[in-house]
Amino acid sequence: MHTLRLFTFALVLAVSAHAAASDFVSVPHPTSFRGLEWGVDLKDVSDLLPVQDAGFKGTYFKKNESMTLGEAELVSVAYYFKKDKLYRVGVAFEGRTNQFFLKDMLIEKYGPGRGIGFRYGWMWPDFSIELNYDNDKESGSLYYTFEGEVQ
């Protein structure tokens, strides 16, 4: 009986570990966004301008940013810095068509993600991609977030 309990416990641990591991995407996450690597120091990026609103400290934009990503048309692209290191990029878009273009592009690169409500995303141990869409506002956002330690 003791051996059966031990075997059952080991089986539960193995299944749990497999389930947890399968939550992560198996292909590598992006190491950069439009040439800016995660963790790059703000002083090493010359073409970023700060967002002037006081509520957006550490948030920057490029004056001549391309307003397309794949086939999607964008409203804005924001670069977020923590301790002067790039850790997140946020993309805003309007319309369901652009949401579909972005989702299809990401599925092609990273495989199927996971959906919860209006959120759809991909996870790695130190990185995530999150695609959101608000039907009422007919707009959405896409966030690439480096969640590891920035040097």
Side-chain angles (χ1 to χ4, degrees), residues 79-151:
Y79 297 85
Y80 300 89
F81 287 77
K82 184 183 334 177
K83 298 180 183 176
D84 290 338
K85 305 288 185 179
L86 179 66
Y87 79 98
R88 181 179 233 193
V89 173
V91 174
F93 61 91
E94 292 180 340
R96 183 62 90 175
T97 300
N98 289 311
Q99 187 251 353
F100 284 125
F101 282 146
L102 291 168
K103 187 174 180 180
D104 286 348
M105 176 191 76
L106 293 165
I107 288 172
E108 187 175 312
K109 285 183 180 181
Y110 306 112
R114 300 184 77 188
I116 300 173
F118 63 90
R119 299 168 61 192
Y120 195 85
W122 296 260
M123 295 184 327
W124 292 261
D126 64 348
F127 195 85
S128 65
I129 299 174
E130 181 182 337
L131 180 64
N132 301 296
Y133 190 78
D134 185 327
N135 283 318
D136 295 335
K137 295 180 181 177
E138 296 182 355
S139 63
S141 60
L142 169 62
Y143 288 100
Y144 295 84
T145 306
F146 178 68
E147 298 170 355
E149 287 294 318
V150 287
Q151 303 303 328

Side-chain angles (χ1 to χ4, degrees), residues 30-52:
T31 57
S32 64
F33 183 86
R34 295 189 170 170
L36 293 179
E37 291 186 12
W38 309 117
V40 67
D41 198 289
L42 179 59
K43 71 178 176 5
D44 294 332
V45 184
S46 61
D47 58 345
L48 292 179
L49 301 169
V51 172
Q52 295 300 315

Side-chain angles (χ1 to χ4, degrees), residues 33-34 60-61 65-67 74-79 89-91:
F33 183 86
R34 295 189 170 170
Y60 296 81
F61 69 98
E65 184 82 51
S66 170
M67 287 297 132
L74 310 178
V75 173
S76 66
V77 178
Y79 297 85
V89 173
V91 174

